[in-house]
Amino acid sequence: MSEFASRRVMMVDTQVRPSDVTKFPIIDAMLSVPREVYVPDDRREAAYVGENLAIGAGRVMLEARTLAKLLDALDIQPDELVLDLGCGLGYSAAVIAHLADTVVAVEQDEAMAADAQRLLSEEGVDNALVIAGPLVTGAPKHAPYDVITIQGGVETVPESLLHQLKDGGRIGAIFMDGALGTAMIGFKSEGGVSWRSSFNATAPVLDGFRKARAFVL
């Protein structure tokens, strides 16, 4: 077993399984996808640390525990279409591609989006498409989606994104309140989305997902 493969097993055994993530498809995906491939070359040695990992452009790759628990709560099925917002260099899209039928990933940094598509192609992930564009715009051309994931913190989620979610679909995001955060799962029914708390997590708030600040005299 290679050094990185050993680290991947240790990541699952020490960060994912102890967090009550037991669904086999998620465990299998996180054991199979080489996390070190989807980080900048100078961060490869840090790919398996148990914290959010800076990947450039002010962005992070979510820690394995957070991503795994988010996917566990979303319960993605093999026949579902997933919108992955803020895929960075493609790791989250690669993991989700193991669980879903198709992944449409959006990354607003054009260079990062191009690298993500290249890395996914090189790794043989042929059911994931990366689109460069504003995260808050989503990818309405391919909607509606069964599941939407947001790979970073939010203070609010635009209605325009919720409109891209299929009735009966789910959305997962980390809602930040200052330094504190809670992963929430939204369930869409009859056109509306109801949110439920899932677990504590933190991540930098993504561009376009901050609440408008009220002017105070």
Side-chain angles (χ1 to χ4, degrees):
M1 184 180 291
S2 72
E3 180 183 355
F4 281 123
S6 296
R7 294 184 192 183
R8 200 148 53 245
V9 171
M10 183 175 296
M11 175 191 76
V12 170
D13 287 345
T14 62
Q15 299 175 39
V16 176
R17 293 185 197 272
S19 299
D20 297 322
V21 177
T22 58
K23 291 186 176 73
F24 174 77
I26 297 174
I27 297 295
D28 182 56
M30 301 200 82
L31 285 172
S32 301
V33 176
R35 190 174 169 92
E36 73 278 3
V37 166
Y38 298 96
V39 301
D41 289 343
D42 62 354
R43 304 310 310 275
R44 286 170 69 91
E45 288 298 319
Y48 292 95
V49 297
E51 58 188 41
N52 294 334
L53 181 67
I55 56 174
R59 301 291 300 286
V60 301
M61 174 192 287
L62 294 181
E63 63 173 329
R65 166 195 173 272
T66 298
L67 178 60
K69 287 181 71 67
L70 194 65
L71 297 179
D72 185 71
L74 288 167
D75 195 26
I76 296 168
Q77 297 301 303
D79 61 348
E80 291 188 318
L81 174 63
V82 178
L83 175 63
D84 185 37
L85 298 172
C87 70
L89 289 168
Y91 177 71
S92 56
V95 172
I96 295 169
H98 273 257
L99 311 175
D101 181 76
T102 305
V103 182
V104 177
V106 179
E107 176 49 57
Q108 63 190 19
D109 184 283
E110 291 190 6
M112 197 173 282
D115 284 340
Q117 187 64 77
R118 174 180 58 80
L119 292 169
L120 288 164
S121 297
E122 289 175 356
E123 290 297 311
V125 184
D126 58 6
N127 62 331
L129 167 69
V130 181
I131 297 172
L135 304 185
V136 292
T137 301
K141 176 181 177 181
H142 303 281
Y145 299 95
D146 297 288
V147 177
I148 298 176
T149 67
I150 302 177
Q151 301 295 325
V154 306
E155 293 177 345
T156 186
V157 177
E159 285 294 325
S160 57
L161 281 179
L162 300 179
H163 288 325
Q164 296 176 40
L165 188 63
K166 184 182 296 184
D167 210 48
R170 294 90 67 206
I171 178 171
I174 300 168
F175 281 81
M176 296 299 298
D177 183 7
L180 303 176
T182 304
M184 307 274 286
I185 306 299
F187 299 85
K188 189 169 185 178
S189 177
E190 298 180 354
V193 175
S194 58
W195 293 91
R196 301 176 191 171
S197 298
S198 185
F199 59 94
N200 294 331
T202 61
V205 177
L206 296 166
D207 290 345
F209 290 90
R210 291 190 180 277
K211 288 182 178 178
R213 298 294 186 252
F215 181 72
V216 179
L217 292 174

